[in-house]
Amino acid sequence: MRTFSCQVCGQPVYFENTQCNHCGATLGFLPDKLALSALQQGDDGLWRVPVIQSASLAPPPASKGRFGGWFGARSARPVGAAPPPEPGRAYRKCANYEQHDVCNWMVPADTDEAFCAACRPNQVIPNLARPGNLDKWFRIERSKRRLAYSLLRLGLPVRTKAEDPEGGLAFAFLSSQDATPEPVMTGHASGLITINIDEADAAARERMRVDMDEQYRTLLGHFRHEIGHYYWDLLIRDGGRLEGFRAVFGDEREDYATALNDHYANGAPPDWEDRFVSAYAASHPWEDWSETWAHYLHIVDTLETSAHFGVRIERRLPDGSVQRSDPDFDPYTIDDFEPIAENWLPLTFALNSLSRSMGQPDMYPFVLSQTMIEKLGFVHRVVRESRVRD
């Protein structure tokens, strides 16, 4: 994730912020610019990027500190950073920003859309009459916007069910507490991604993680995994890549229900860590792909964040060699996957060591074998070949 600063005062701001904590400026994410921007409302009710009148109000230059400049890190604009949004274009707040405060994205005023690019795929939202559901929806949307950011950065095709009933994407946010004939299961079916909003409760999600013997379970992880199923349909099945997929992940024609029943009855094979990123990935080639896809999104987004904050890892190994992570490339657009893997491995060792120093679980509790790196490289190639936006 790129880092952002308030145009009015130069204060670093988070991707999720709706207001600058320093100067109080209203903030909104501009999907067309891939930037979080301070905004001013005009007499016409529309929002625009403010014109900085005084040099004293402009963001501090990069030379004044490690996190100076528009996006912090090494310079005023590090590798892959978009230029600061320029004043001029008018925007409206997304309807979910204006009405429910569960979003902070903007909609260009010259379109007829009521919802932003991240909210438009929503097909079913939580029952807001039930106490606590608005807060759960807020947490869900916060994770979904990070997913949407990655899809935009990767330039992947994103169509809603309204635009393409057969091949489009939709989200349904449901609760097991509501009257439903079947338990609500997080999953994907023909472009519809269902998320059980009860997992927005951290305690409930942790109980589920322990019960299912998982190393990692987050709302963002759910989104990244389930969107992997959607893109398997779009980029592999319908994209003419089945032969290449089967050579790397195996034959998806294996009966899915039988494979899952066998997995839950008998567990993963003893050597699963040599070939898969998680035990669940070993259950079926579809799940292997989606788990790998999710980790690919974890990796490129975290590497981008690390680069923007100027994180540099250097560790001398017993044999005298030095392991480094200091990416000078944009992981979202680089053609070769090898530099991504080379920088990711030492970064995760450092992150896990820092987490342990605080008495916390590993931030990235996974081991990437050479087979897994090859699978991630396959995902990277598919993504690069499928890019439709620059």
Side-chain angles (χ1 to χ4, degrees), residues 26-49:
T26 295
L27 302 174
F29 186 78
L30 313 180
D32 55 325
K33 302 294 184 181
L34 288 172
L36 185 69
S37 176
L39 298 165
Q40 291 179 343
Q41 192 171 28
D43 294 338
D44 57 1
L46 300 178
W47 296 86
R48 294 174 177 83
V49 177

Side-chain angles (χ1 to χ4, degrees), residues 81-150:
E86 297 179 358
R89 192 173 193 184
Y91 297 87
R92 296 188 307 273
K93 286 184 175 180
C94 171
N96 285 336
Y97 188 172
E98 189 73 49
Q99 298 172 20
H100 303 294
D101 202 26
V102 297
C103 181
N104 69 340
W105 283 32
M106 308 299 291
V107 180
D110 55 8
T111 71
D112 296 328
E113 301 288 352
F115 296 97
C116 70
C119 289
R120 279 199 291 275
N122 288 359
Q123 192 174 87
V124 180
I125 67 170
N127 175 8
L128 299 184
R130 184 179 292 279
N133 275 6
L134 180 61
D135 184 57
K136 291 177 180 178
W137 187 28
F138 171 81
R139 297 175 196 171
I140 287 168
E141 290 291 346
R142 182 173 57 190
S143 293
K144 180 161 67 69
R145 290 197 302 277
R146 284 192 171 259
L147 171 70
Y149 170 87
S150 291

